[in-house]
Amino acid sequence: MTIRHMQIFKAVCDHQSITHAAASLNMTQPAVSIAIRELESYYNTPLFDRIGRRIYLTEAGSILRSYTDSLLEQFDEAAAVLRSGGKLTRCRIGVNVSVGETLLPDMLDRLERAIPGIKTEIFIGNTRVVERRLADNQIDIAVADCITASPERVVSEFYTGSSCIVCSPDFALANVCGTGCENKFSIEHSAEYELDVVRLSQLRLLLREDGSGSRISLDSLFRAHGCTVEPIVESTSDLCLLTLARHGYGATILPSELVRDDISDGRLVELRLTDTELVRRYYLAYNKKKRLTGKISEAIEC
């Protein structure tokens, strides 16, 4: 079998059509059909079910599809390495939103200082989307919190930080009075207030969306304390939640790096939990089957 067979197979999978795959590859339909039959003959198993005018991957086809992207990516990478004199200059990194808004600039500065000439391609999304891209070989390295353990991945701890529960002073005065502050004077002049997880779950909460590392951690925390939450706002943007909290619409939970200045300037106050700490652990992950060459392995070592 040749790389061309894999390219044709991938195109048929992507388009779910022999005709459309042929058009995308600038080939004739019979030529594409012959290539698929050759693959099926080589592996001695059908790769597609043909039902009416449509085709569907068989179980064997799905297994081959799971390897195709990696095979083609490694072929392209090998060509790039050889053409560049043995040095791959591209590294695709996926990070979740919180990493993108806090750690990413320092990460990129560090990479560029350590590896002059590296060309990074950055994808930013929530943790589950980043994980899917890693599984599909659309990125080389993932950095996010709450990465799911998998025998297909190498996962190592990258950074440990903290999260802060914050809200406007007026919101704290109206909603947190009596949960740790002894009188109105202490509330008005305090930079932080105390409450437990159950009380936190009862506040008007501004939270990240399902699938984000932040939300996964928080849902787990609330379940562990026997409660659930229904946030009044769910957003893919930390900045949106921060802005709403500044305007008194509720309490939000964000990386401490994002709210430090607001707390210092008095725009926000911190709500501290009495029964747990909000620690965020970020992880670096890559696929075990990924052949680490050139700048990718250097980037991981940095």
Side-chain angles (χ1 to χ4, degrees):
M1 289 298 96
T2 66
I3 289 295
R4 188 59 173 165
H5 281 90
M6 292 295 102
Q7 291 169 335
I8 293 170
F9 174 72
K10 180 180 184 301
V12 174
C13 292
D14 290 345
H15 292 281
Q16 295 183 308
S17 164
I18 297 288
T19 301
H20 293 158
S24 71
L25 296 167
N26 197 26
M27 297 174 63
T28 65
Q29 183 175 333
V32 171
S33 296
I34 289 171
I36 296 300
R37 286 199 297 270
E38 288 174 344
L39 273 173
E40 293 177 325
S41 176
Y42 179 80
Y43 291 112
N44 194 31
T45 185
L47 299 175
F48 295 96
D49 285 326
R50 290 133 177 108
I51 303 175
R53 294 179 175 271
R54 301 195 63 182
I55 60 173
Y56 302 87
L57 279 171
T58 63
E59 184 176 355
S62 296
I63 292 172
L64 181 60
R65 181 71 177 91
S66 68
Y67 288 97
T68 302
D69 284 341
S70 180
L71 289 169
L72 292 175
E73 174 66 23
Q74 290 183 29
F75 174 78
D76 292 340
E77 186 175 299
V81 169
L82 293 173
R83 289 168 183 161
S84 64
K87 292 184 177 181
L88 182 64
T89 59
R90 184 183 68 158
C91 182
R92 303 170 302 169
I93 302 173
V95 302
N96 68 357
V97 173
S98 294
V99 172
E101 293 179 339
T102 56
L103 305 177
L104 185 59
D106 287 341
M107 287 169 54
L108 294 179
D109 287 344
R110 184 176 175 183
L111 272 174
E112 290 175 1
R113 287 196 304 268
I115 312 170
I118 190 172
K119 295 179 181 177
T120 52
E121 297 177 10
I122 307 298
F123 169 79
I124 301 175
N126 74 33
T127 294
R128 292 297 174 253
V129 174
V130 169
E131 284 188 310
R132 286 198 295 271
R133 292 213 167 201
L134 183 65
D136 293 339
N137 200 40
Q138 295 177 328
I139 57 175
D140 303 309
I141 302 168
V143 178
D145 54 349
C146 295
I147 290 181
T148 306
S150 167
E152 303 298 322
R153 296 179 188 145
V154 176
V155 181
S156 58
E157 192 163 322
F158 180 77
Y159 175 80
T160 299
S162 61
S163 293
C164 288
I165 310 164
V166 293
C167 61
S168 70
D170 287 343
F171 183 87
L173 182 61
N175 295 276
V176 193
C177 181
T179 61
C181 299
E182 303 205 353
N183 54 56
K184 183 175 179 180
F185 177 83
S186 66
I187 292 175
E188 290 175 335
H189 294 82
S190 177
E192 61 184 52
Y193 312 102
E194 294 183 341
L195 72 174
D196 59 23
V197 172
V198 173
R199 179 70 182 100
L200 173 64
S201 71
Q202 298 166 351
L203 297 180
R204 290 165 53 90
L205 292 177
L206 319 166
L207 300 180
R208 286 289 307 278
E209 81 287 4
D210 287 337
S212 68
S214 171
R215 186 62 179 275
I216 294 166
S217 295
L218 289 172
D219 285 346
S220 176
L221 172 67
F222 287 125
R223 283 195 302 270
H225 285 77
C227 51
T228 58
V229 294
E230 295 183 4
I232 63 165
V233 173
E234 292 181 282
S235 175
T236 60
S237 167
D238 288 343
L239 180 58
C240 176
L241 300 178
L242 181 60
T243 301
L244 290 171
R246 287 170 178 163
H247 284 79
Y249 288 101
T252 190
I253 305 168
L254 297 172
S256 57
E257 295 91 343
L258 288 180
V259 299
R260 190 178 294 126
D261 289 345
D262 283 274
I263 294 173
S264 177
D265 293 342
R267 290 189 296 269
L268 295 174
V269 294
E270 182 176 0
L271 311 181
R272 287 193 178 274
L273 294 175
T274 57
D275 46 358
T276 191
E277 289 185 78
L278 294 178
V279 177
R280 296 192 73 169
R281 291 183 174 85
Y282 299 93
Y283 298 89
L284 183 149
Y286 60 91
N287 292 324
K288 284 184 179 178
K289 64 182 179 181
K290 178 72 178 180
R291 181 175 175 82
L292 301 179
T293 59
K295 301 300 183 184
I296 297 175
S297 58
E298 290 184 52
I300 290 174
E301 291 171 3
C302 286

